[in-house]
Structures are given as C-alpha cells and as structure tokens.
Amino acid sequence: MPVIKVNKQDFCKLVGKDLDWDVIEKKLPMLGVGWEGRSEEEFEVEVFPNRPDMLSVEGLARAFSSFIGVRKGLKHYDAKPSQLYIVSVDEKVSKVRPFIACTIAMNVEFTDDFIRSIMQVQEKLHVTHGRKRRKVAIGLHDFDKIKFPVYYTTKPKEFKFIPLGESKEMSLEEILQKHPKGVEYGWIVKDFEEYPILIDAKGMVLSMPPIINSIHTMLTESTRNVFFDMTGTDWKAVNEVLNILVTTFIDRGAEVFRVRIKYPDRFVETPDLSPKEMRVEYEYINRLLGLSLSKNEIHQLLGRMGYDAYDDGSYARVLVPCYRTDIMHPIDVVEDVAIAYGYDRFEPELPNLATIGQEDEFERFSTKLRNFMVGYGLQEVKTFILTSKKKLFEKMRMEEQDVVEAENPKTEEFNVVRNLLLPSLMEVLSRNVRRAYPQNIYEIGDVVLLDENSDTGTRIVRKACVALCHSKASFSEIKSLTESLLRNVGVKEFEFVETSKNFLIEGRGACVKVKDVELGFLGEVHPAVLEEWKIEMPVSVLEMDVNKLFEVAKQS
Amino acid sequence: MEDLIEKLHEYEKRILVALKNVEKLSLNELSKKTGLKEGSLVKACGWARTKGIVDVLEEKEIFVKLSDEGLRYAENGLPEKNLIKRVEEGVTSINELKNSVENFEIALVWAKKNGWIEISEGKVSLTESGKNALSKTFELEKYLSSLKTSAKKVEDIPHDVLETLKKRKLVEFEKKTKFEVKITELGKKLVPLIEKDVGKVVTQLTPEIIKSQKWKGLKFQKYDVKLPVPKTYPGKRHFLQEVLEYIKRVWIEMGFKEMKGPLIEVSFWNFDALFQPQDHPARDLADTLYVKKPKKGKLPDDEIVEAVKQTHQNGWTTGSKGWGYEWDEEFSKKLVFRTHTTALSARTLAQLRKDVENGCFPAKYFAVGRVFRNETLDWKHLIEFHQTEGIVVDPNVNFKHLLGYLKTFFEKLGFKKIRFRPAYFPYTEMSVEPEVWHPEHKQWIELGGAGIFRPEVVKPLLGVDVPVLAWGLGLERPVMLAYNINDIRQLYWNDLKMLRESKIWLG
C-alpha cells in the first residue's frame, strides 16, 4: 500500500494549527492511516486504498484538520463556469481510451512543498486508483501554451512530436519502444492501431495519454495557470481522480474553471465539485456501533470527518464531499462516525449468544492420529504443500503425473502441488543428515489431486506418512508399525499385497488393504532414491490415506 | 581411599590390575590384557584419570602417505624423469613424446623448470644438467619410494621435499592419536586393595544374575550419578501444529463450529463474493498465485452469481452504488490458491442461506487453515502460511461485540493488552486492525484484520442483510514471537535439533 512523505511544517500550515509531534503520531493512526515513522522535519504514513484523497498532503491535512476539530464540517469547493474552454472528443478514442475529464487552475502559486506534493500524489494516484495508468492517467500542462479548442483523438504510429525528456521528435511507435515511459506503460495501448493523442487548435501536441506529455506544454518555473487532463477507461474513476487533484489546488489558493467536454453525442462540464447526498438512518448507526448517540452527537461526529449532516426525521441527510470516492453505502458513513468517535473509546463486550462449539469429526480424528504417532517415538514434521516436479517425480524416480500447477509462481521450486506426502519427508531427512540418528518422523498433512467432479477441479486428500531412518530401518519394522496402527483404530482384518513402486526396493514394497479398500503403501526406500536425496542411511516408509482410514475405522 | 574404591568401575579396576607391573601401556596392549574393547577403554580411562589413578598421554600425530597420484609416480617414476629418458632414447618430437610419456604436460613443465630440456621447432633436446639428471636419484624420488612402503610422520620428511610433494598433490595427510595409559602413585597403592575384587562386582544387573541368585555373593558397582549420559529424544508434536490445535480449542471453547474448504479456490469465493472488484490490485498476478492446471472452476447457483454480479455493477438491492463496472463471469471462474481463509466464510454464508427461514441465527464459525501468497520465500515471507478465521452471524451483534471476541481470543493466547486501529479491507466496514502488546519484545504486533462484513458481501450470499462479525488473523507471527524465531522459514524448516529441543506449547 502507498506510503507518502509529509513535511511537518507544511502540514501544520495546511491543518491550520501548530501541532506537537506527539499529537500527530498518536492521532493520525486513529483517523485511519498507518504510521510509518518520522525524521526531524518529515513523517511518513501509509494511506489505505479507500482514501485516495489522503494521498496528497493537502487532502491528509484537510481530513486531519476536521478530525481534531480545527476546521469541521463540509468544505465547499467551487469551479467557475466557462464557455471558452472546449475539449472535443473524437469518436475514434471510444475503443482505445474513451473518457477524458479536464479543468483549468489559474493563479497557482507553486511553492517547493506544493510541487513535491503534486508530484507525489500524481505518482501514487497513477499506481493505485489509476491501476498503473491503465484506468486513469493524469496530465498537467502549462495552460498559456495551449490554443483552444483542444482535440482528444488518435493518431497513426508514424505521427511525431517531442516527448518530455527528449530533444528531438519521435514517432509514437518509437516512443513505445525507446522512451522509458513508453517502455513502462506501452502495454496499455500497444495492441491498438492508433494511439490516443491530445492536440490543440494550432496542431501542437499536449500529450500521448497514458504514456507521456509533450515538451511543448511542460510546466516550468514561470507557469501560473495549469490545464489538467484525466484520461481513462472508467468515467467515474477519471472524475474521482480529477476531483482529488483539483481540490488540492484549491486548498493551495488556486482559482478553478470548468472545461466543456464535447463528446460525439453530448456535452459534459468537468469538474463537478458539488457534494453528493446520502441518507443514513440514525438507528442503523447506533445499532451497528452498539452506541446510543443523539442526532446532534452524530452530526458533530460527521462534521469531524468533513461532512455536513442535517436532521431528516429518522434519517440523517449527509452531504458527502466531492473527493470522497469511497462512500458507496450508508455503512461507509457509519464507519466514519466510529472513527470520529474513536476506536479506542469503544468498550469491547461479548454478546449473550448461546451456541455450541463443534470440531469437525475428521479433523478430530486427524489430531488423535497425530498424538497416537507420538507414542511410537516419532517426531512430527510440518512441510509445504507446494513443491516442484523435480522433488515430486525426478528425485523419487517416478514417471511424471498430472498434478495441480501454479500459473505464475515467483520461483520454480514451488510451482506444483504435491500429490504424495513422502517426497516432503524425504526432503526433511535430506536436510537433517548431520543430526543425530535415529530419525523417525511423521506428518499428517494434505495433498491435492485433480478431480473434475469438484467445483474447484481438485480434491484434498489427507495423508499420514511415516519415515523410519536409522541403520537398521527395515520392512519388518514399518510393517509392524502399520499393523499396530490399524489394530489400534479397531481394524482387525487387513492384508499386505506385494507391490512394485520405483522408489521402493523391488520385493520389499507392499500395499495395505482392508477388504477392497487400498489404504496406502509401505516399504524400504530404494538406495538410488536415497542417493538422489543424499541420505546415507536406510529408510523405510508408510504412506496412508487418512480419509479412507477414517472410513474403515468407523465401520470396524 | 575406601570411598574411592567403592566408586571404581569394574573396568577401571581391570585397567589398574593390567598396569600393575608395567607402568605404561598403549591402548592396543591394554585392550589385549583387559579383554575390553578400545571404545570402552577410552571411556574408562577417562573416568580413571579424573579420579587420579592413571595418567593418559594423548598425542596427536600427523602422518604423510601417498595419494593415488603419488603411488603411480612411486611405481612408474617421475614424469619429468621419464621424459628425459625417452629423449635420451632418441624420441625428440613433441608429438611423439606426447603419446609415449604419461602425464606429458606435467613432465614438460617440470623438466623445463628444472632446466633439463630446451625446445625448438617442435623438438626437445637435453641440456647439460638434463644429461646429469639421468643418472641421479633425487630426494623426491627417494621419499616417494620409501613412502610407498609405509606412511611417515610429518617431521621425518625434510621441509622442502614435503612442500614439493604437497604442491604436486602426491601426498595426503592423516591424523592419528597416540594413546598411552600410565599408572599413578595413587593407582599403584590401590592395586593390592582391589586385585581380589576384580570379577566379583556386578555392573549391569542381568536377568541371569537375578534368576540364579548370584547377586547374593556379589557387590554392586557404585555409579557416579554425575556422569554424562546419551541424549534421549522424545517422540513429539511439531510446535506449530500444536499451536494450530490450541487455537482450534480456543474457538471451540468460545462456542464456534469448525468450517473447512478447498485449498484451491474459485476466484468467485476468494474475491468476487467478498466484493473485491475484478481490477483490484490484490487480484494481480504479483500478489495472487493462480492455477494453471486446472484453470477454471464452477460457480454456485445462478441466484447467488446474479446477485454478486449485480452488486458489483450497481449495488443490487444492498443500498450500495456498487463499483460501477462490467462484471466478468468467466474471470470469476479462475482458480487461485486461496489467499485467505475468508473464502471459507463466504462459502459458509452461502450455505446458511437455506436455513435463514428456519432460524439459523446466531451462527458462529471458525477455521484454521493454510493460505497462499505469490511471494519469494525469504526470512520475512512465506508462500504458504496459516490463518485463523471467524464469523459471528446474528441480527443483534455490533462493533463492540467484534472487539469483544477479538479481545477474548487474544487474552486466551496470553496477550493481555490489545488495541484497535482503523483499517481498510474491501469486504468489511467497519474495518479494524487489532494489535497486541508483546511485553518481552516491547512492541505492538499487528495480527491481521477484522471487521463487519459489508452489506454488499452479506446480502447476495445470505439473502438477507444481517451483521456478520468477521476476522482473519495471521498465526505465524505470534508463534515466531513465542519461540524467538527471527527467520520465518524456520517454522517449516524441520530442523530436527530444533524440533527435538523446542519447548512444548504450554497453552
């Protein structure tokens, strides 16, 4: 999750109050950000994805200011109407990157703190709300370099302009291949025949969204007026990002004008900074929080979170500020009441609910089995269910089988799910060759098999695996243990049938059967397999299906 | 003196008697005289030494013996010597020599280094010193042949010869320990007193001695109870598994029922049913491990799928605005390694749906299970780990109750101080991050997330909007703290030394 850096002095100025470190450090987390640490002058906080408005220093300070009661209630934002500024949207963008929202901020005073904040919020919004620029990309331009109307259109790959960071013209195709931003974000547009371009009435390029701006409209030290373009694939998200940015400019004293967006079929004016209304039942708030707050108390608490609220009978009419993108349901307002009230002020209590606890019977059987194994002097181990084909098949001298495979593992060492428990135990023995012997170990753990009949295409099978590893480990020892185990779960009739497995010594492997049910196999591990695992000690093993064992145990 | 004699082991007595008139014996000789094995003797001599009745002289000696290569040289002669002999015999072209002299490359290097040969135009000729060398036997050759018959002590070989042997990898070193036992004055005094006892003392009581009642005429050897003994390793549970079972017990004590479900999960249950939009970053390949084989799973009843779809798109009848995007049914079929046990809670809510009319509330469920993240395994990150999950479904539960359950659970785990912070999860509102105070590590520890499921989660699954308290807590962190483990991989490393010696879980 994104972490932002904030200058304390600048923050206090925006909050409207001089604050001690103690207050910032204790109270900010209670507003719902993660405290990451501080230096002499700066602090860092983690902003949760539901509050992109707090990704800017201005937004964070605004929220904190009302939270600690300096400036409570809804802050009014206004964008002045204007007929002069038109952005015309070409039909051609509808398949590539259909939406654009714009605005103009006049008389911007760019202080160092503000520049840092804008760069930071732009970067973080691109990553989070903008989904790495795919959903929303932000462009800021020197307004005075632009001749209106501006056209949002697409251009062929040969079309050229000078992108930021370059001194010569480059074709759109070259930009995708060579420009660092083209390399980073080219994947978003590369499959289209033409790429989106924002171009002014004189034919000067503003930008190639979502990749790179043109050098022509670059912001400089003398820039006072800024043109914003937000392009993207989601109209709602484009406007949300625009509002988050515009309000930070207004907080810094800029004057904002609306832009008319001329879509082929309609006119829209952006930004829309008016608050949205939401009706929330007072009783709903108190019931979910376990409180009995009066209407007035609720209004006060909402004021602390930047809302205005009005009494409307059993409902509160809540005005939600234009930058709050996360308020989708009355429950979101309830949470803000809880935050304003203070999570630390809620008294934890247990409800009076009579219920009966219950362990799953198969899980209980597994636990009993685990404890029973200890009676044989075995050490329990616990291993990963993800493994590799090398460990599962190659090192066991087994033919490859169909197993569950991961699509995007970060390492080859963990890219399939085991269908046998024994390789995991072999790995444990392999890792412990320097530890004292005997090493008699067991695990009762899960493997996963493919199963077309299941809704997940897979089925979990619980296995019990024992490996006896010492200088005299033998078939008779593991057979004796197997018999004892079966007798102790009440199974009196069983038979051992000679079986051949590549990882067992020929003639020293058996499967154990109860009537027609095959429970598993046992035997002495083949020295060629021991060599694969670099184990220089005999190993005899048992692997049994616990699900089947449970069934036969219940029937016995 | 009496006391000392009482404590003497039978073996010690035999050693003293063996040393009676000879002062000093090697281990081998002592073994012959006492009839004891060398291993037992070394141990017994150790005890005897601490009692001051013998002295043990242990001397480490390093022996030099020929390597395989050295042995070949000793048998066939030095390669460089063989080379000049062949040249003398008239074979001078390099190509021919290459074929007829073993280890030709080595021979060439050394012959040149010694100044025995000159090479021009592919021909080798002998120098004056080369001719002289033919008839000489060098130190190196002498030692090679004498080492062939027996290993020598390091100090018996001149330094420069040894260096050459080492450099040319012709020798190997072998450490041997010389072990001699000498009787002390005290020991000598004891001999007459114990001589008659030898053979009349019982060390190991055997069934035969008991049956035959022989013990009646014998004395029992007194043991030194302070002597070290071999280690005993118990059959034992894995500490992590013990903690998991303890946590289960805690939930059962608190009246929760266990839920279980698949490890390979349909995206629908892992994400969509939990109101996580399909473009949510948590669903990226970078965080979530997807399944290549099999690729897709099946969705539940149309009624539930349609409700989830509508809720994502426009909020359905939940009172929400929804995410406002086109929900893709196929995408929700993709299989994932479940990223949280919360997927189980979603399945459980859908299961409860048919019982809502029949009064299924209050319903309390828990799970302890394995979950997966697409990480690179390192000291801080695991690809698979464990979570414990809980839900409480009842029309009358509220936020305070959520905090109450969490507090009670953590108290049962031994954490007395707990605090709650606002947090964010797509499927809960209120969302809270519980933190517990660890008194030894003196820090607040984050243990996962909790909250009340959003109506957008509950209503499509359960059919009605009822508060559902929910939490998913990580288990590895508290276990690491309890066992002072810094590298998270150690939990699944299965180092037998650690498992055998770790304290059992006392919860």
Side-chain angles (χ1 to χ4, degrees):
Chain A
M1 282 196 265
V3 172
I4 64 161
K5 206 179 246 186
V6 184
N7 176 292
K8 184 195 171 213
Q9 208 186 346
D10 186 42
F11 181 73
C12 292
K13 211 171 73 193
L14 289 161
V15 169
K17 189 179 181 184
D18 242 345
L19 302 166
D20 288 338
W21 275 118
D22 199 41
V23 174
I24 298 177
E25 205 169 327
K26 286 225 169 78
K27 292 242 168 106
L28 256 182
M30 298 316 288
L31 170 61
V33 290
W35 182 260
E36 293 284 312
R38 70 172 178 98
S39 65
E40 286 285 297
E41 290 139 17
E42 291 182 321
F43 61 90
E44 287 189 12
V45 287
E46 182 187 24
V47 177
F48 302 150
N50 60 328
R51 292 296 301 269
D53 58 299
M54 298 206 288
L55 286 171
S56 74
V57 180
E58 296 77 13
L60 184 72
R62 186 195 308 138
F64 195 61
S65 180
S66 57
F67 184 61
I68 59 169
V70 177
R71 250 193 312 250
K72 297 203 293 186
L74 185 77
K75 192 168 179 186
H76 291 276
Y77 290 98
D78 198 20
K80 295 187 173 57
S82 160
Q83 300 295 317
L84 296 173
Y85 310 120
I86 294 173
V87 173
S88 180
V89 182
D90 191 331
E91 175 78 55
K92 288 198 289 178
V93 299
S94 67
K95 287 199 186 71
V96 184
R97 196 168 177 82
F99 300 108
I100 183 164
C102 303
T103 191
I104 294 154
M106 301 281 200
N107 302 317
V108 183
E109 198 190 329
F110 281 109
T111 61
D112 288 349
D113 285 327
F114 186 33
I115 292 170
R116 264 201 301 276
S117 168
I118 292 172
M119 306 229 313
Q120 177 165 270
V121 68
Q122 233 182 300
E123 183 202 322
K124 306 290 178 191
L125 282 171
H126 269 149
V127 174
T128 56
H129 221 61
R131 305 285 196 257
K132 297 182 180 134
R133 297 196 186 182
R134 186 176 53 76
K135 203 172 179 184
V136 186
I138 304 163
L140 301 184
H141 310 270
D142 187 338
F143 166 79
D144 296 311
K145 302 267 171 63
I146 301 168
K147 170 85 176 148
F148 281 84
V150 166
Y151 298 94
Y152 179 40
T153 182
T154 63
K155 291 282 182 194
K157 293 173 183 174
E158 309 78 55
F159 181 81
K160 286 184 174 181
F161 74 96
I162 309 177
L164 269 182
E166 296 289 333
S167 53
K168 282 199 294 269
E169 281 197 333
M170 288 172 89
S171 76
L172 303 189
E173 191 163 15
E174 277 179 299
I175 291 175
L176 288 201
Q177 282 161 7
K178 293 181 191 156
H179 195 284
K181 295 292 170 190
V183 173
E184 196 174 348
Y185 298 105
W187 58 274
I188 303 170
V189 293
K190 72 171 176 21
D191 293 333
F192 298 107
E193 273 181 28
E194 294 200 336
Y195 301 141
I197 284 288
L198 207 57
I199 194 165
D200 80 352
K202 284 187 301 187
M204 294 300 288
V205 172
L206 277 71
S207 68
M208 173 191 182
I211 314 292
I212 187 79
N213 283 356
S214 133
I215 205 158
H216 171 63
T217 56
M218 183 173 74
L219 301 183
T220 64
E221 280 170 20
S222 57
T223 304
R224 286 293 166 268
N225 306 316
V226 181
F227 174 73
F228 298 58
D229 80 83
M230 310 292 131
T231 59
T233 55
D234 182 318
W235 175 245
K236 188 166 141 257
V238 162
N239 279 284
E240 285 170 350
V241 172
L242 180 64
N243 287 359
I244 288 168
L245 276 180
V246 169
T247 48
T248 69
F249 274 74
I250 298 177
D251 284 352
R252 291 283 185 178
E255 208 180 347
V256 168
F257 290 85
R258 279 183 234 161
V259 171
R260 278 171 78 81
I261 315 286
K262 188 178 158 234
Y263 282 100
D265 57 343
R266 65 188 192 279
F267 270 107
V268 198
E269 285 197 11
T270 58
D272 174 6
L273 302 180
S274 60
K276 301 284 173 286
E277 199 179 295
M278 182 164 272
R279 283 157 51 83
V280 187
E281 217 176 345
Y282 292 110
E283 189 267 340
Y284 184 60
I285 298 173
N286 279 323
R287 177 161 52 88
L288 278 176
L289 298 182
L291 300 174
S292 36
L293 301 166
S294 70
K295 289 180 178 180
N296 188 42
E297 281 172 313
I298 287 174
H299 296 172
Q300 291 298 319
L301 291 170
L302 285 171
R304 296 257 303 278
M305 298 305 283
Y307 302 92
D308 275 352
Y310 302 95
D311 183 351
D312 191 6
S314 55
Y315 285 84
R317 197 162 62 81
V318 181
L319 295 184
V320 181
C322 64
Y323 52 82
R324 284 300 295 271
T325 61
D326 59 316
I327 307 299
M328 308 167 73
H329 188 282
I331 192 70
D332 296 300
V333 176
V334 178
E335 183 182 66
D336 274 0
V337 173
I339 290 173
Y341 182 81
Y343 273 26
D344 47 350
R345 283 175 63 205
F346 285 90
E347 281 296 329
E349 70 183 47
L350 282 179
N352 200 0
L353 299 182
T355 53
I356 293 163
Q358 186 186 311
E359 186 177 14
D360 179 88
E361 60 168 2
F362 179 64
E363 293 299 322
R364 194 165 55 231
F365 178 70
S366 298
T367 304
K368 286 192 170 160
L369 216 51
R370 287 185 178 111
N371 288 331
F372 186 69
M373 291 289 194
V374 166
Y376 293 121
L378 307 177
Q379 167 68 52
E380 183 179 36
V381 298
K382 194 152 177 63
T383 59
F384 294 132
I385 79 161
L386 276 163
T387 181
S388 63
K389 285 187 178 173
K390 182 171 179 175
K391 287 179 189 165
L392 210 47
F393 306 121
E394 203 181 303
K395 292 184 112 173
M396 299 302 292
R397 299 211 309 168
M398 288 287 282
E399 291 281 316
E400 209 175 295
Q401 295 157 355
D402 271 351
V403 284
V404 177
E405 289 180 41
E407 179 170 351
N408 54 321
K410 290 206 170 119
T411 95
E412 292 294 302
E413 221 184 319
F414 303 100
N415 60 1
V416 302
V417 180
R418 66 184 177 199
N419 62 351
L420 201 65
L421 199 46
L422 179 59
S424 301
L425 267 69
M426 295 303 289
E427 189 174 15
V428 172
L429 293 176
S430 174
R431 207 174 261 160
N432 280 286
V433 288
R434 285 165 203 279
R435 298 298 181 215
Y437 288 93
Q439 295 180 0
N440 299 333
I441 58 175
Y442 79 100
E443 177 168 13
I444 294 183
D446 291 337
V447 305
V448 180
L449 306 180
L450 297 166
D451 183 354
E452 283 175 7
N453 298 321
S454 149
D455 65 337
T456 61
T458 59
R459 172 165 52 101
I460 298 175
V461 175
R462 181 150 301 165
K463 294 289 201 87
C465 187
V466 177
L468 305 173
C469 177
H470 56 90
S471 58
K472 296 199 175 78
S474 67
F475 180 82
S476 70
E477 187 185 17
I478 197 71
K479 182 177 172 186
S480 160
L481 188 148
T482 309
E483 288 179 345
S484 150
L485 181 65
L486 289 170
R487 280 195 301 267
N488 275 282
V489 297
V491 182
K492 295 201 178 63
E493 281 172 40
F494 42 80
E495 61 170 333
F496 293 88
V497 181
E498 189 181 327
T499 189
S500 170
K501 294 205 183 283
N502 259 355
F503 52 80
L504 298 178
I505 297 175
E506 186 67 34
R508 298 187 184 185
C511 65
V512 54
K513 278 178 149 180
V514 175
K515 287 176 196 146
D516 290 334
V517 183
E518 191 176 322
L519 290 180
F521 64 83
L522 60 153
E524 288 181 19
V525 176
H526 197 284
V529 173
L530 296 178
E531 201 172 280
E532 288 280 352
W533 291 98
K534 299 196 164 56
I535 300 167
E536 295 175 337
M537 198 59 90
V539 179
S540 58
V541 295
L542 161 70
E543 178 157 340
M544 221 187 251
D545 184 321
V546 181
N547 301 72
K548 288 180 185 167
L549 180 65
F550 185 45
E551 289 311 313
V552 297
K554 276 196 294 188
Q555 284 158 17
S556 300
Chain B
M1 197 78 97
E2 284 287 303
D3 203 32
L4 182 61
I5 293 169
E6 290 257 293
K7 281 202 175 138
L8 285 185
H9 188 274
E10 171 72 9
Y11 290 179
E12 291 172 288
K13 291 180 186 165
R14 287 202 217 171
I15 291 167
L16 281 184
V17 174
L19 288 167
K20 191 174 164 189
N21 298 317
V22 289
E23 286 278 310
K24 200 162 84 173
L25 284 174
S26 74
L27 197 59
N28 190 278
E29 294 162 328
L30 199 54
S31 172
K32 277 181 201 149
K33 269 187 112 163
T34 56
L36 294 172
K37 287 186 184 137
E38 290 196 4
S40 316
L41 269 177
V42 171
K43 258 187 242 162
C45 289
W47 309 330
R49 173 158 63 177
T50 54
K51 294 186 181 119
I53 54 178
V54 300
D55 278 330
V56 175
L57 310 166
E58 257 181 295
E59 212 180 312
K60 291 228 165 16
E61 291 177 323
I62 302 174
F63 282 87
V64 180
K65 63 173 198 180
L66 290 181
S67 66
D68 291 347
E69 186 82 355
L71 201 61
R72 268 201 302 280
Y73 284 13
E75 279 165 6
N76 305 337
L78 286 172
E80 59 269 31
K81 199 78 176 281
N82 296 339
L83 174 72
I84 55 172
K85 276 184 194 152
R86 293 293 284 155
V87 176
E88 176 70 13
E89 283 163 25
V91 184
T92 57
S93 102
I94 291 213
N95 281 338
E96 283 179 67
L97 285 167
K98 208 182 265 177
N99 293 330
S100 60
V101 178
E102 204 184 342
N103 292 323
F104 174 71
E105 312 289 338
I106 298 170
L108 199 66
V109 171
W110 284 93
K112 280 200 76 175
K113 204 174 194 169
N114 296 343
W116 293 347
I117 55 167
E118 277 167 357
I119 304 172
S120 73
E121 292 168 10
K123 299 244 183 232
V124 179
S125 58
L126 293 187
T127 60
E128 209 45 43
S129 94
K131 283 175 191 148
N132 292 337
L134 278 168
S135 55
K136 269 196 212 159
T137 305
F138 293 92
E139 285 284 282
L140 189 61
E141 292 174 287
K142 282 184 201 155
Y143 278 97
L144 276 176
S145 67
S146 72
L147 280 169
K148 198 177 127 189
T149 39
S150 67
K152 285 188 179 307
K153 285 191 202 167
V154 164
E155 48 277 21
D156 294 341
I157 301 176
H159 182 73
D160 55 333
V161 176
L162 190 62
E163 282 304 301
T164 312
L165 286 168
K166 252 160 72 179
K167 203 156 102 193
R168 298 187 66 169
K169 298 199 176 72
L170 302 180
V171 290
E172 284 164 358
F173 297 91
E174 199 175 44
K175 279 187 192 149
K176 281 189 183 162
T177 308
K178 193 165 122 188
F179 196 99
E180 281 183 335
V181 189
K182 194 178 150 190
I183 192 159
T184 63
E185 285 310 312
L186 177 59
K188 283 179 191 160
K189 281 186 201 151
L190 288 179
V191 175
L193 303 174
I194 58 159
E195 230 169 343
K196 60 181 189 317
D197 285 349
V198 175
K200 290 189 183 156
V201 174
V202 180
T203 45
Q204 177 69 49
L205 186 59
T206 62
E208 195 268 325
I209 295 176
I210 301 171
K211 259 186 267 172
S212 64
Q213 298 195 332
K214 264 191 201 158
W215 59 272
K216 286 186 175 161
L218 296 171
K219 270 187 168 178
F220 283 97
Q221 168 66 47
K222 276 199 170 184
Y223 290 158
D224 181 350
V225 294
K226 293 202 165 103
L227 284 179
V229 292
K231 276 188 186 168
T232 298
Y233 297 116
K236 195 175 171 193
R237 302 296 311 275
H238 190 290
F239 60 97
L240 179 59
Q241 189 64 34
E242 282 195 298
V243 179
L244 300 182
E245 279 166 25
Y246 175 72
I247 282 164
K248 273 187 177 185
R249 205 159 64 238
V250 169
W251 292 127
I252 295 163
E253 282 169 9
M254 288 166 71
F256 285 74
K257 262 187 197 172
E258 184 163 18
M259 33 181 194
K260 285 177 59 184
L263 294 167
I264 304 297
E265 185 56 284
V266 190
S267 283
F268 182 83
W269 295 113
N270 196 77
F271 295 122
D272 296 280
L274 293 167
F275 199 51
Q276 267 176 286
Q278 295 187 323
D279 72 343
H280 193 279
R283 300 178 75 154
D284 280 358
L285 292 172
D287 288 335
T288 297
L289 202 52
Y290 282 89
V291 185
K292 182 163 81 184
K293 191 159 93 186
K295 249 194 153 47
K296 284 187 177 173
K298 297 182 194 113
L299 299 184
D301 295 351
D302 288 349
E303 200 183 349
I304 291 179
V305 175
E306 187 59 24
V308 167
K309 173 182 179 169
Q310 294 295 331
T311 304
H312 277 245
Q313 295 189 166
N314 54 38
W316 190 49
T317 61
T318 62
S320 172
K321 292 174 182 163
W323 292 113
Y325 73 102
E326 193 74 26
W327 187 79
D328 179 1
E329 186 172 309
E330 284 307 306
F331 188 70
S332 79
K333 289 180 186 166
K334 283 186 85 168
L335 289 171
V336 299
F337 288 80
R338 76 172 173 210
T339 62
H340 49 192
T341 41
T342 316
L344 287 173
S345 295
R347 280 180 178 270
T348 302
L349 288 180
Q351 283 281 321
L352 280 175
R353 184 189 187 91
K354 57 182 186 304
D355 296 330
V356 169
E357 304 284 298
N358 314 329
C360 62
F361 307 135
K364 287 156 65 179
Y365 287 90
F366 82 95
V368 176
R370 214 177 271 241
V371 298
F372 302 82
R373 293 290 154 81
N374 197 7
E375 295 279 2
T376 304
L377 186 68
D378 64 26
W379 69 279
K380 266 173 93 167
H381 301 97
L382 292 174
I383 302 169
E384 41 185 291
F385 52 97
H386 287 82
Q387 276 186 347
T388 185
E389 178 82 9
I391 50 171
V392 178
V393 194
D394 189 75
N396 296 314
V397 290
N398 63 45
F399 188 55
K400 285 183 180 171
H401 300 143
L402 172 70
L403 306 187
Y405 280 114
L406 292 168
K407 184 166 180 263
T408 309
F409 173 71
F410 287 123
E411 277 173 359
K412 280 171 174 276
L413 283 197
F415 296 110
K416 299 290 172 227
K417 255 166 81 183
I418 173 166
R419 70 179 187 186
F420 300 102
R421 297 287 165 118
Y424 171 73
F425 309 103
Y427 34 91
T428 53
E429 192 85 9
M430 294 26 81
S431 299
V432 52
E433 214 163 55
E435 293 181 320
V436 295
W437 178 252
H438 200 281
E440 279 158 53
H441 292 77
K442 298 214 181 329
Q443 54 176 328
W444 288 99
I445 316 290
E446 280 175 35
L447 290 177
I452 300 180
F453 274 151
R454 297 185 65 98
E456 293 98 322
V457 173
V458 178
K459 201 175 174 193
L461 300 177
L462 191 61
V464 289
D465 181 15
V466 173
V468 178
L469 314 179
W471 48 86
L473 309 169
L475 295 178
E476 271 74 2
R477 266 307 278 296
V479 177
M480 285 171 74
L481 290 168
Y483 282 91
N484 268 310
I485 291 170
N486 294 320
D487 183 335
I488 198 165
R489 286 170 295 194
Q490 282 188 330
L491 296 174
Y492 297 89
W493 192 252
N494 298 298
D495 177 346
L496 289 179
K497 183 170 172 4
M498 183 197 172
L499 292 182
R500 285 162 170 171
E501 288 169 9
S502 66
K503 190 174 154 186
I504 57 168
W505 180 257
L506 296 177

